[in-house]
Amino acid sequence: MTKIKVGIVGTGFIGPAHIEALRRLPNVEVAALCEVTIELAEAKAKQLGIPRWYTFDELMKQDDIECVHICTPNFLHYSQSKAALLAGKHVVCEKPLAKDLHEAEELVELAAKSGKVNAVHFNLRYYPLVRQMKTMREKGDLGEVYSIIGSYLQDWLFYATDYNWRLEPDKSGDSRAIADIGSHLMDIIEYITGLKTVEVMADFNTVHPTRKKPLKAIETYSGKMLQPEDYADVNITTEDHANVLLRFDNGNRGSITVSQVSAGRKNQLKLEISGSKKTFAWNSEAPNEVWLGNREQANQVLMRDPSLAYPEASAIMTFPGGHNEGFPDTSKQLFKEVYAAIEQGKQPEKPSYPTFADGYRELLICEKILESTRKQAWVKI
């Protein structure tokens, strides 16, 4: 078997997650990585067991690297994705696709002209029971969608001493909680329900208007603490917490709450979708079961089991029922579909995976949410 050679751009938190998922695919070889300096690239490559290391510009010159994964801070996504497409490579980009709509639109157009496979890492779509809920809705099991309640809660920025590059607008953009994790939530809502969000009303809150930036490097999610003299005060302008009211194109309503300061919530996305026939309720911290609410019969809990799911959902299940699948499996299943397209050499007419166009859509929604909180008014999308 001739394997597709892949280059990884960036090795922070999410880069190694991509690498681990890719190594589980039989038709893929993680052949190279790049970092900001050749010294760091060499150190990371040896740590991660990758044979070749480069700076970004040198990686782009490697003709045998067919696809690159952009796993860098947000402000680099546009320039690096553009450079990769122009170098004739397929691209998988972390979200958000770019820092603004103009950049995202350019990438969508460039990707379409190139014909190269392009994908955005909205991996949470690939929990099998998310696909099951989508398929149940498509087959009429849910009925008309009446209302949607969603939340995405984390606590990794709970303390004023918690700090990360995502807190700095020049690196991550003017929205943080909504752009970082709210984009996953909005994507998964539209993915499952098939609805489009047409209007938003948002209210943001910055719980810690001043944070303590460490003067020494600390890894994301490490929970490490330094001494008082090791911090500098930094003013924070992006949101720690956000509430958003939603209006959908079927005339019905929803609401979401997004927070990065909810103690004890490590990475919890929750959804409750109420339809004219039943309700779906799902929690990403217990992703192998979905609650099905009924009016005139007993409620049900469906466990993740390929023998009980629709074929569309079973297709992204690797193990039998009772053998739990979780976060690392979502990336594997997404990449499995992406690399099936890469084997064909071009973007399919109707991709099953999230594309740059989906990245543009979520950036549009996030920008309208940001506009709404600034205006304190409803904003149309």
Side-chain angles (χ1 to χ4, degrees):
M1 177 187 294
T2 301
K3 294 192 175 186
I4 301 163
K5 288 187 169 59
V6 181
I8 304 297
V9 184
T11 58
F13 159 67
I14 203 65
H18 281 237
I19 293 167
E20 289 180 1
L22 288 166
R23 282 174 166 163
R24 297 169 68 189
L25 301 181
N27 60 337
V28 174
E29 177 188 346
V30 182
L33 63 72
C34 73
E35 262 295 352
V36 289
T37 66
I38 195 65
E39 292 79 15
L40 181 59
E42 180 180 6
K44 288 289 186 178
K46 290 179 177 177
Q47 177 185 342
L48 295 165
I50 295 174
R52 294 154 58 189
W53 53 88
Y54 304 98
T55 58
F56 179 78
D57 290 344
E58 288 302 311
L59 178 64
M60 293 302 100
K61 296 175 184 177
Q62 306 306 308
D63 292 337
D64 64 327
I65 300 296
E66 296 180 57
C67 182
V68 295
H69 285 234
I70 308 298
C71 303
T72 47
N74 300 356
F75 74 101
L76 293 170
H77 292 179
Y78 161 74
S79 61
Q80 292 179 336
S81 294
K82 180 177 179 179
L85 287 170
L86 292 173
K89 304 189 185 301
H90 306 288
V91 182
V92 177
C93 184
E94 267 301 324
K95 50 82 198 161
L97 179 60
K99 281 187 67 179
D100 60 52
L101 286 173
H102 174 73
E103 290 182 349
E105 186 174 21
E106 182 183 346
L107 288 177
V108 171
E109 292 175 355
L110 181 59
K113 288 178 183 176
S114 74
K116 293 296 181 181
V117 171
N118 59 91
V120 175
H121 192 234
F122 284 122
N123 59 304
L124 302 192
R125 291 187 185 190
Y126 283 80
Y127 281 109
L129 292 181
V130 169
R131 179 76 63 89
Q132 174 72 8
M133 288 185 285
K134 170 185 169 63
T135 307
M136 290 178 72
R137 187 269 305 168
E138 291 173 339
K139 294 183 181 295
D141 298 347
L142 176 66
E144 179 189 357
V145 177
Y146 284 170
S147 70
I148 300 168
I149 302 169
S151 63
Y152 202 149
L153 309 179
Q154 298 177 330
D155 72 355
W156 69 287
L157 293 173
F158 180 70
Y159 295 116
T161 49
D162 291 325
Y163 202 86
N164 181 266
W165 61 262
R166 290 177 176 84
L167 292 155
E168 300 172 4
D170 63 327
K171 295 184 177 65
S172 66
D174 292 334
S175 170
R176 179 183 12 109
I178 283 290
D180 184 18
I181 56 177
S183 57
H184 273 299
L185 181 56
M186 295 302 302
D187 178 73
I188 213 171
I189 284 172
E190 292 195 343
Y191 176 71
I192 293 171
T193 66
L195 299 178
K196 293 295 184 185
T197 309
V198 295
E199 203 167 0
V200 294
M201 173 65 167
D203 189 28
F204 286 6
N205 185 27
T206 304
V207 173
H208 297 300
T210 302
R211 285 184 179 265
K212 304 287 187 181
K213 181 178 181 177
L215 302 175
K216 299 179 179 179
I218 298 180
E219 292 181 4
T220 304
Y221 305 125
S222 67
K224 294 177 182 176
M225 299 293 289
L226 302 176
Q227 297 302 311
E229 63 271 17
D230 295 323
Y231 295 97
D233 287 345
V234 174
N235 293 328
I236 302 299
T237 59
T238 54
E239 76 281 5
D240 292 312
H241 180 278
N243 296 306
V244 188
L245 298 177
L246 310 169
R247 291 175 178 167
F248 300 104
D249 58 356
N250 72 343
N252 287 327
R253 308 291 197 266
S255 65
I256 62 168
T257 295
V258 176
S259 174
Q260 294 177 318
V261 290
S262 295
R265 296 302 186 194
K266 303 307 175 185
N267 190 51
Q268 184 196 70
L269 186 155
K270 289 183 74 174
L271 276 178
E272 188 148 323
I273 302 170
S274 296
S276 58
K277 293 184 179 179
K278 59 176 77 250
T279 294
F280 299 159
W282 181 80
N283 172 5
S284 70
E285 289 188 342
N288 287 276
E289 60 183 53
V290 59
W291 182 86
L292 305 175
N294 301 297
R295 169 65 188 266
E296 295 179 345
Q297 66 186 67
N299 297 330
Q300 301 164 286
V301 174
L302 173 65
M303 303 297 290
R304 185 210 57 79
D305 186 332
S307 68
L308 300 176
Y310 282 122
E312 293 88 339
S314 297
I316 58 170
M317 298 181 193
T318 299
F319 301 105
H323 299 75
N324 287 338
E325 294 178 81
F327 180 82
D329 301 282
T330 61
S331 295
K332 182 191 78 170
Q333 298 294 350
L334 191 164
F335 298 157
K336 184 172 70 174
E337 294 184 353
V338 168
Y339 280 88
I342 291 175
E343 282 193 325
Q344 300 302 311
K346 63 180 181 179
Q347 186 86 337
E349 186 175 336
K350 293 184 178 180
S352 57
Y353 48 84
T355 66
F356 279 15
D358 295 296
Y360 174 87
R361 171 70 185 168
E362 291 317 309
L363 198 62
L364 172 64
I365 294 173
C366 289
E367 289 211 1
K368 295 300 183 181
I369 289 173
L370 186 59
E371 180 183 342
S372 173
T373 195
R374 286 169 174 167
K375 291 181 175 177
Q376 288 291 283
W378 283 96
V379 171
K380 293 184 184 298
I381 296 176

